[in-house]
């Protein structure tokens, strides 16, 4: 019945006899992240949901790696404790329970501090500044949130503490009491190096991803949109009476000293223009059914946005009586129709119209999509046959070219618009700001990933700082002997950091593959891509290497400069 009522008359209006209709069902709850229809609004990108979760998991992973490394490394300071406990009859399971319990307690205290920090972030709007989305701190009081945090804390405590507990409890009493050799075995050393390798991999991947996303957004901001967006004010006007008074409203606005020009459109720039089925004349003179976006605009819309008219004439030269029959098309439309002479071609579907000009391609939508075929048609604002409800709900958008974005200019415009429409509130926004909002999600995730990258590097530095202290303490006597035999400070420093270069080199290869896979997927969501090059990855590798070497150098400086006599008599 739906097909018979809706699609059959539509097909007949285009003269179609051979066509097919496909209908399918979709769960309403699936629309936001899984919509396959272009006009479903609002929709979200599931990539960002998974990206936020993945970065959070990476941060927890790096923190767990630090705990494992430091817990196994500090065994030298707890060797006698373990040895005495075992000698006094402590079972292995008891020791494992003790060390695992310590890890879980650490995590639960951390979760409590993080919980308070999150409440402060929500209360003072820091969350809103990152995500452009307000949320009350009371969401943290929900039972499912508390249960999730408790479960996550227990899981992280188990992940971080299971190996240290197993490792520390498995050492024999003899080795434990001989604490100068405890924790220095081949197995524990290789594990620590592997975990540091994972840390570097995560750090390089996150830093490189941040740089790639920033480069892509910078590329988009530098692209030519095909029109001027600066100093263009968008003002909503509602009601047929106000719209019909547009000529008089325009004249009063033009009398203002800070207004250059004014036009009107039925399609808000920065929104989905939609597609319409049209009968279009081909170069051979017959008609074909094509789809294109349709914008109803004022007669000087092209001039207000400083678009480039490459053929024919603009709508500004059209008399209002016949203006609705004249159309402008963009270059994509001409290319798809393969027109050699587009001027004079006929298009119908909404009503009969003739192409009078061609404008250079412009993009009033998001740059996630390529420029499609667009038709600009003069908006006659004819409401003679409209019902009372239709007249009341009618709306248009004024496009005003200002000399500047000053508060006085906006207030002057608001005063005049209020004189024509005292019922509705004065609502405005600048075109440049509206277009920036099209990439708010990308800007948010880039900013947040940069913050995560900084946190990740900080956690890595803390772990390296602790490991460097442990290694320097273990090699105190060795360095004293090397200094006595003539080793320089630079040679000793190289002994401490050479392993860092090897680990960064190995992790760089892994991080490069991970970054390429993730960022290639992200870049596919844009129609205009700067290209994927190795520079961000190389910069991230260099940055992580410098930070790692500086961390080790800061911790090891005292050991390298120490008097060998003190090193050799420490026992």
């Amino acid at each position: 019945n739906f097909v018979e009522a809706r699609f059959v008359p539509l097909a007949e209006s285009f003269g179609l006899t051979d066509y097919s209709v496909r209908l399918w069902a979709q769960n309403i709850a699936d629309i936001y992240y899984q919509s396959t229809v272009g006009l479903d609004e609002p929709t979200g990108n599931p990539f960002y949901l998974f990206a936020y979760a993945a970065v959070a998991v990476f941060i927890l992973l790096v923190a767990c790696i630090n705990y494992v490394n430091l817990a196994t490394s500090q065994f030298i300071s707890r060797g006698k404790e373990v040895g005495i406990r075992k000698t006094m009859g402590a079972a292995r399971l008891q020791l494992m329970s003790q060390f695992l319990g310590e890890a879980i307690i650490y995590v639960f205290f951390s979760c409590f501090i993080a919980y308070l920090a999150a409440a402060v972030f929500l209360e003072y709007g820091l969350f809103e500044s990152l995500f452009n989305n307000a949320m009350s701190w009371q969401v943290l009081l929900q039972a499912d949130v508390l249960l999730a945090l408790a479960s996550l804390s227990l899981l992280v405590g188990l992940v971080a503490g299971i190996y240290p507990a197993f490792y520390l409890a498995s050492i024999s009493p003899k080795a434990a009491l001989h604490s100068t050799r405890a924790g220095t075995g081949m197995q524990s050393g290789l594990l620590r190096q592997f975990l540091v390798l994972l840390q570097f991999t995560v750090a390089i991947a996150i830093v490189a991803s941040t740089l790639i996303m920033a480069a892509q957004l910078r590329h988009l901001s530098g692209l030519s949109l095909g029109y001027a967006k600066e100093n263009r004010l968008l003002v909503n006007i509602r009601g047929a009476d106000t719209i019909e008074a547009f000529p008089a409203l325009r004249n009063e606005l033009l009398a203002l000293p800070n207004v250059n020009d004014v036009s009107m459109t039925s399609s808000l720039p920065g929104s989905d223009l939609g597609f319409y089925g049209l009968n279009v004349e081909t170069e051979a003179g017959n008609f074909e059914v094509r789809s294109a976006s349709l914008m109803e605009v004022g007669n000087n819309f092209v001039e207000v946005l400083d678009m480039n008219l490459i053929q024919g004439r603009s709508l500004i030269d059209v008399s209002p009586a016949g203006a609705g029959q004249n159309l402008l098309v963009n270059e994509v439309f001409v290319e798809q129709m393969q027109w050699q002479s587009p001027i004079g071609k006929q298009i119908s579907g909404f009503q009969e119209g003739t192409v009078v000009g061609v404008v250079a391609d412009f993009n009033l939508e998001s740059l996630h999509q390529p420029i499609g075929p667009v038709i600009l048609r003069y908006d006659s604002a004819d409401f003679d046959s409209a019902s009372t409800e239709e007249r009341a709900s009618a709306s248009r958008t004024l496009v005003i070219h200002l000399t500047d974005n000053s508060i006085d200019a906006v207030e002057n415009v608001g005063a005049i618009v209020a004189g024509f429409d005292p019922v509705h509130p004065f609502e405005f926004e600048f075109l440049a700001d509206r277009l920036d909002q099209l990439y708010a999600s990308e800007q948010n995730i880039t900013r947040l990933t940069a913050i995560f990258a900084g946190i990740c590097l900080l956690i890595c530095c803390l772990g390296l700082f602790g490991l460097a202290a442990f290694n320097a303490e273990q090699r105190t006597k060795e360095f004293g002997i090397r200094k006595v035999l003539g080793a320089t400070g630079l040679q000793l420093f190289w002994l401490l950091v050479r392993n860092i270069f090897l680990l960064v080199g190995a992790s760089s290869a892994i991080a490069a593959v991970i970054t390429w896979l993730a960022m290639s997927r992200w870049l596919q969501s844009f129609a205009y891509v700067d290209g994927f090059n190795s520079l961000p990855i190389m910069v991230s590798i260099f940055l992580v290497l410098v930070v790692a070497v500086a961390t080790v150098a800061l911790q090891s400086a005292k050991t390298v400069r120490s008097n060998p006599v003190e090193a050799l008599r420490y026992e």
Side-chain angles (χ1 to χ4, degrees):
N1 291 335
F2 187 82
V3 171
E4 291 293 330
R6 300 298 182 95
F7 289 95
V8 171
L10 182 63
E12 290 176 351
S13 68
F14 287 100
L16 297 177
T17 56
D18 183 16
Y19 63 92
S20 62
V21 176
R22 181 174 68 91
L23 304 179
W24 69 96
Q26 184 175 36
N27 191 330
I28 290 179
D30 295 338
I31 289 178
Y32 188 75
Y33 279 128
Q34 303 176 28
S35 176
T36 57
V37 182
L39 295 180
D40 276 340
E41 294 291 345
T43 57
N45 190 340
F47 175 86
Y48 298 125
L49 183 67
F50 295 126
Y52 288 136
V55 174
V57 170
F58 287 152
I59 294 295
L60 285 176
L61 175 63
V62 171
C64 290
I65 288 173
N66 269 1
Y67 186 86
V68 172
N69 280 338
L70 296 177
T72 54
S73 298
Q74 72 170 354
F75 184 78
I76 189 172
S77 64
R78 302 191 66 175
K80 288 185 174 62
E81 174 195 346
V82 174
I84 292 174
R85 286 180 181 274
K86 281 202 167 186
T87 302
M88 298 298 292
R92 180 176 177 181
L93 184 60
Q94 289 175 307
L95 291 173
M96 288 185 64
S97 300
Q98 174 194 343
F99 294 125
L100 192 58
E102 289 178 3
I104 294 175
I105 290 173
Y106 271 126
V107 175
F108 270 97
F109 270 111
S110 302
C111 182
F112 177 71
I113 297 172
Y115 186 87
L116 296 180
V120 172
F121 291 163
L122 292 173
E123 176 66 20
Y124 291 97
L126 297 180
F127 180 91
E128 183 177 1
S129 65
L130 284 175
F131 292 94
N132 294 326
N133 191 1
M135 185 181 294
S136 170
W137 68 271
Q138 294 178 351
V139 70
L140 297 175
L141 301 177
Q142 296 178 3
D144 54 346
V145 174
L146 294 173
L147 179 62
L149 287 174
S151 302
L152 180 63
S153 298
L154 181 61
L155 176 62
V156 172
L158 290 173
V159 170
I162 190 67
Y163 179 78
F166 176 81
Y167 172 74
L168 296 176
S170 64
I171 302 297
S172 67
K174 180 180 178 181
L177 291 171
H178 200 306
S179 58
T180 56
R181 292 189 300 170
T184 60
M186 176 68 73
Q187 184 179 3
S188 62
L190 289 177
L191 175 67
R192 282 194 291 270
Q193 294 205 29
F194 173 73
L195 294 179
V196 172
L197 174 71
L198 280 181
Q199 280 189 321
F200 284 144
T201 301
V202 171
I204 292 172
I206 294 181
V207 173
S209 299
T210 303
L211 295 177
I212 291 172
M213 289 189 288
Q216 172 64 14
L217 293 180
R218 187 168 58 252
H219 171 68
L220 293 181
S221 65
L223 288 177
S224 173
L225 299 176
Y227 56 90
K229 63 179 182 178
E230 301 299 333
N231 296 339
R232 266 63 179 186
L233 184 69
L234 306 178
V235 178
N236 294 330
I237 56 174
R238 289 178 291 274
D241 293 339
T242 306
I243 298 171
E244 289 172 337
F246 170 71
L249 172 60
R250 178 174 182 269
N251 289 335
E252 290 199 23
L253 289 173
L254 290 176
L256 295 175
N258 38 26
V259 173
N260 287 330
D261 206 349
V262 183
S263 188
M264 183 173 64
T265 176
S266 61
S267 302
L268 196 61
S271 60
D272 192 343
L273 299 180
F275 273 89
Y276 299 85
L278 306 168
N279 278 320
V280 184
E281 182 182 0
T282 66
E283 186 66 24
N286 57 327
F287 282 82
E288 294 181 356
V289 176
R290 295 296 180 95
S291 295
S293 297
L294 176 65
M295 294 183 65
E296 292 189 311
V297 300
N299 58 4
N300 60 330
F301 183 80
V302 171
E303 287 70 24
V304 170
L305 288 185
D306 199 19
M307 293 178 173
N308 184 18
L309 186 69
I310 57 179
Q311 287 190 50
R313 57 182 173 83
S314 174
L315 296 176
I316 199 170
D317 299 322
V318 179
S319 62
Q325 300 176 1
N326 293 269
L327 311 171
L328 298 177
V329 297
N330 66 345
E331 293 175 287
V332 170
F333 196 105
V334 175
E335 292 173 2
Q336 289 189 1
M337 293 304 303
Q338 298 181 345
W339 283 337
Q340 301 299 320
S341 302
I343 306 301
K345 293 294 188 292
Q346 300 295 310
I347 301 176
S348 62
F350 40 84
Q351 67 179 53
E352 294 292 333
T354 304
V355 176
V356 298
V358 178
V359 295
D361 286 335
F362 59 93
N363 200 326
L364 284 174
E365 299 178 281
S366 167
L367 291 174
H368 288 91
Q369 296 88 26
I371 297 175
V374 180
I375 298 174
L376 302 180
R377 173 191 173 200
Y378 176 73
D379 185 3
S380 59
D382 184 7
F383 298 98
D384 291 342
S385 59
S387 65
T388 303
E389 292 78 10
E390 290 172 337
R391 289 183 61 86
S393 62
S395 65
R396 295 291 190 273
T397 300
L398 297 179
V399 184
I400 305 173
H401 180 193
L402 300 176
T403 57
D404 58 76
N405 290 350
S406 66
I407 296 178
D408 290 340
V410 176
E411 289 179 345
N412 292 337
V413 170
I416 291 180
V417 172
F420 282 83
D421 182 13
V423 177
H424 298 100
F426 176 62
E427 297 180 350
F428 70 93
E429 62 181 329
F430 287 99
L431 178 58
D433 294 338
R434 179 175 180 82
L435 295 176
D436 289 341
Q437 288 300 311
L438 298 177
Y439 315 103
S441 295
E442 289 78 10
Q443 292 169 348
N444 288 340
I445 194 173
T446 301
R447 183 165 56 247
L448 197 62
T449 305
I451 295 173
F452 281 155
I455 295 174
C456 186
L457 284 177
L458 176 62
I459 297 175
C460 287
C461 289
L462 292 175
L464 282 176
F465 196 84
L467 284 177
F470 169 76
N471 291 331
E473 185 178 358
Q474 290 292 95
R475 305 179 73 173
T476 300
K477 190 171 183 179
E478 173 196 344
F479 279 16
I481 295 173
R482 288 180 181 274
K483 272 200 167 186
V484 170
L485 294 176
T488 64
L490 186 60
Q491 289 173 322
L492 297 178
F493 176 70
W494 171 248
L495 288 175
L496 288 170
V497 302
R498 64 181 180 181
N499 196 42
I500 298 295
F501 284 87
L502 295 176
L503 291 175
V504 171
S507 60
S508 299
I510 303 173
V513 175
I514 295 174
T515 303
W516 182 81
L517 292 174
M519 289 295 97
S520 295
R521 166 76 185 280
W522 182 71
L523 291 172
Q524 286 176 0
S525 65
F526 296 93
Y528 306 92
V529 179
D530 189 26
F532 195 99
N533 59 71
S534 59
L535 181 60
I537 297 178
M538 299 300 294
V539 171
S540 64
I541 292 172
F542 177 77
L543 177 62
V544 171
L545 181 61
V546 169
V547 171
V549 171
T551 302
V552 175
L554 182 64
Q555 172 58 45
S556 307
K558 181 179 178 181
T559 303
V560 172
R561 296 196 305 265
S562 64
N563 189 333
V565 174
E566 297 295 332
L568 293 175
R569 60 187 290 187
Y570 73 96
E571 60 208 338

